[in-house]
Amino acid sequence: MILKSIAKVATESLKKPFTLEFPEHVENLADNYRGIHKLDMNTCINCQACARICPNQTIVMVEADSPTAFHADNKPKLFPEIDLERCLFCALCEEVCPTDCLVLTKSTELEAYDRRDLVKRPEQLE
Ligand code: SF4
Ligand code: SF4
């Protein structure tokens, strides 16, 4: 019994590790994998449809840190800020966006030391 266990441990230790060395290596992603959002602030019409449809209230509309993000009457334009910690990656925001300026990418880089870093301002989504 003991010899069998030792043989098993020896066999397993010679096998290649199952884990991948992230971020150098990532798993092959499925075609329909949904990752972090990408926003084109130039074509966003600030309609708020993405924020309204989000089932988990993950999107809030915020002022952007950009000198061009103002309406003609000098009122600030509002763009989506996304809390990736709360996101379900359902893609409803992408579906509803009338200008296709908000899309889900295949980016898997969701690691963060501080959960507050997972709240992405509009500029960080570009
Ligand atoms: S993917 Fe779904 S949960 Fe995530 S921000 Fe878009 S609508 Fe909200
Ligand atoms: S990202 Fe799309 S749905 Fe959201 S405010 Fe901009 S245009 Fe509207």
Side-chain angles (χ1 to χ4, degrees):
M1 180 69 179
I2 290 175
L3 283 178
K4 203 171 168 188
S5 300
I6 292 171
K8 175 80 175 155
V9 169
T11 312
E12 291 298 323
S13 63
L14 291 174
K15 284 186 182 169
K16 276 176 64 177
F18 289 106
T19 49
L20 296 174
E21 288 187 27
F22 184 83
E24 291 81 16
H25 301 108
V26 290
E27 277 190 88
N28 291 332
L29 301 172
D31 289 345
N32 58 355
Y33 178 87
R34 298 177 190 139
I36 299 173
H37 309 64
K38 186 169 174 51
L39 171 70
D40 181 355
M41 289 175 62
N42 292 320
T43 52
C44 175
I45 57 170
N46 324 101
C47 66
Q48 308 193 16
C50 51
R52 283 201 210 99
I53 202 162
C54 179
N56 213 24
Q57 289 85 51
T58 306
I59 300 178
V60 292
M61 303 299 289
V62 297
E63 293 177 21
D65 189 17
S66 159
T68 58
F70 289 88
H71 293 287
D73 61 2
N74 243 9
K75 280 190 182 158
K77 292 179 181 174
L78 299 180
F79 295 90
E81 174 186 89
I82 302 181
D83 183 350
L84 294 172
E85 192 182 25
R86 294 172 58 86
C87 181
L88 307 170
F89 297 96
C90 63
L92 284 175
C93 52
E94 177 182 297
E95 274 178 42
V96 80
C97 180
T99 62
D100 297 328
C101 67
L102 185 63
V103 294
L104 273 70
T105 68
K106 295 216 178 294
S107 172
T108 58
E109 291 173 22
L110 277 165
E111 72 283 357
Y113 286 108
D114 187 330
R115 65 202 311 174
R116 286 171 294 191
D117 292 341
L118 291 172
V119 178
K120 299 294 183 188
R121 289 198 35 83
E123 304 85 13
Q124 294 175 292
L125 293 168
E126 280 211 291

